Every structure is written in structure tokens, then in C-alpha cells.
Amino acid sequence: VLLFDETANVLRPHPSYRGVSNEENRHISIPPGKGVSGKVAASRRPLRIADVNREKNYLNVNMETLSELCVPILVGERLLGVLNAESAQIDFFTEADEHLLVTIAGGLATAIEKMHLFDTERIRRLEAEMLSQAAAALTSSLELDQVLDNLLISLAQVIPYDSTAVFIRENERLRIVAGRGFSAPEKVIGQTFTADDPLSQALREARRPILIADVRADSRFQS
């Protein structure tokens, strides 16, 4: 089974994929249109190949493979992945095998979709519960330090983080008033920074959250 990663627009082998080690699996990504599985993902149609050596789209992942049968895993027209079968014999798979694999892929699609819906609902319930706890934390104490610390504890259950900090603007500077995840919090909390640094300025201008995928590649970030 290769599952479709919509964000990256690639197929990735599930760890259960036989014939390829888990370590190799982590580095394989197949865009739609590339290889047999990619061709099936792009066309949304099954593909039965009697001899992979005559298939120009074949990616030689397993040296022993001589014939292949691949079908899409679909919910409507939405691609969830592909179900791939390989054989060390020439012209091994039959039309009946293809019909059977299509049926299995349909059942697998239903199961995957149900799991996705369950996970989505579970995450939504968890987020609602954590947000409720965060709201309660705001009124749990009259001490600002305690309120912010409670808030950051609740935040970790909604958005897992390695470290987090709360900045408050004081005149033309920003001061860290609370933080968690730092090896030496006493060296962090209380620090002040200019309020006109590039990232703060971008945040004020955008007036919306800013997501930085790699701070090393963004000059606005200052460590």
C-alpha cells in the first residue's frame, strides 16, 4: 500500500510494504505520473503489467519483480493511495486478480476514510476540551505569572511545542513575561527586545499568524 500525501503531492509506501525495508520506505516518494504507481495515481485507473521490463514507467524498486498489478484507492474521485501487487513471474496476474484487487481497494478506501473521520472528530473534541481548559486558566488566578503559566501548559496539549514564550509590548520594546521548554528559563524570562525587529513588524502589518517552516532560511527570525 502506498498512501497519497496531499500536502506534498506524492505517494509514500506504508511501513507494511513488503519487499522494501522500513529504512528505504522513509526515503521513497513518488509523484503522480512517475512509475507504475504514480501513473495509476494520476489516471485513477488500474494498471496490469505482464512484463515490467517492457514498461517504460516502471521504477525498479525490487529486483525480483517481473510483473505488477496496481489499482487506485479512491473515495469518489479523491485519491487516498494505491494498492500494488508484484510477482517474480512473468504475466502472473489475471483479469480476475485485477477485479479482486479493485474490490479490496474499495473496502480499504472505506476503512481509511472512516479512520480519517474518526481522527478528525477526535482531534476536534480534544481541541475543544483544551481550549476550554485554556479559557479556565485565564480566570484561575489573579497572579499574571500563574495565569500565563497555566495557559502555556494547556497550550501544549493543543499545539505540541519544544519551547514557547509570551511577549508583552512595553513602550518600544518587547519583554518575555512567560515561557516553557527552556533549559534555563531564568535567562529567558525578563529579556527585552526592540519592538521594530523584522518579524514583529511583519506580524503587525499582516495582523494574522505567521508560520515559518524553517527559521534558518528566514532572515526575519532572530535567535
Side-chain angles (χ1 to χ4, degrees):
V1 175
L2 296 94
L3 297 179
F4 184 56
D5 182 341
E6 290 183 311
T7 303
N9 193 38
V10 295
L11 291 167
R12 301 188 192 278
H14 187 270
S16 64
Y17 198 112
R18 297 181 61 184
V20 187
S21 72
N22 286 343
E23 183 60 31
E24 290 173 313
N25 277 346
R26 296 189 185 99
H27 303 288
I28 295 176
S29 60
I30 303 172
K34 184 178 180 180
V36 173
S37 56
K39 186 175 180 180
V40 169
S43 68
R44 308 299 204 265
R45 297 175 64 86
L47 186 59
R48 179 160 41 102
I49 300 172
D51 185 351
V52 297
N53 294 312
R54 298 183 178 181
E55 173 57 49
K56 64 178 181 179
N57 287 307
Y58 178 69
L59 296 176
N60 195 351
V61 176
N62 188 342
M63 296 291 292
E64 297 180 356
T65 298
L66 291 179
S67 59
E68 184 172 359
L69 173 60
C70 188
V71 302
I73 302 172
L74 301 170
V75 173
E77 285 298 313
R78 184 163 66 89
L79 179 71
L80 300 182
V82 300
L83 184 56
N84 195 52
E86 300 157 342
S87 173
Q89 298 180 37
I90 294 287
D91 199 15
F92 179 78
F93 299 104
T94 66
E95 185 176 351
D97 292 330
E98 181 177 326
H99 290 321
L100 177 60
L101 208 63
V102 168
T103 300
I104 294 173
L108 189 57
T110 301
I112 292 173
E113 184 68 1
K114 285 183 177 179
M115 286 187 289
H116 284 174
L117 292 173
F118 176 78
D119 285 342
T120 299
E121 181 59 28
R122 180 179 59 81
I123 291 171
R124 286 176 178 171
R125 288 199 305 268
L126 179 61
E127 288 177 344
E129 180 181 345
M130 292 304 104
L131 290 173
S132 177
Q133 291 182 16
L138 293 174
T139 58
S140 62
S141 173
L142 296 178
E143 296 294 331
L144 180 60
D145 291 347
Q146 185 62 52
V147 168
L148 293 177
D149 195 51
N150 291 343
L151 187 61
L152 295 183
I153 291 173
S154 297
L155 175 65
Q157 299 180 63
V158 180
I159 306 175
Y161 57 77
D162 292 318
S163 62
T164 184
V166 177
F167 294 74
I168 287 183
R169 182 167 182 171
E170 297 175 342
N171 297 320
E172 297 304 314
R173 299 190 68 80
L174 294 171
R175 182 167 65 89
I176 299 178
V177 295
R180 295 186 67 86
F182 300 100
S183 57
E186 69 279 0
K187 295 181 180 180
V188 176
I189 298 174
Q191 283 195 44
T192 61
F193 305 85
T194 59
D196 59 352
D197 69 273
L199 188 55
S200 297
Q201 186 174 351
L203 191 61
R204 289 197 303 273
E205 291 175 355
R207 294 186 178 277
R208 58 178 176 79
I210 293 178
L211 175 65
I212 301 176
D214 186 350
V215 297
R216 298 168 301 181
D218 196 313
S219 61
R220 298 174 301 177
F221 178 78
Q222 298 178 8
S223 59

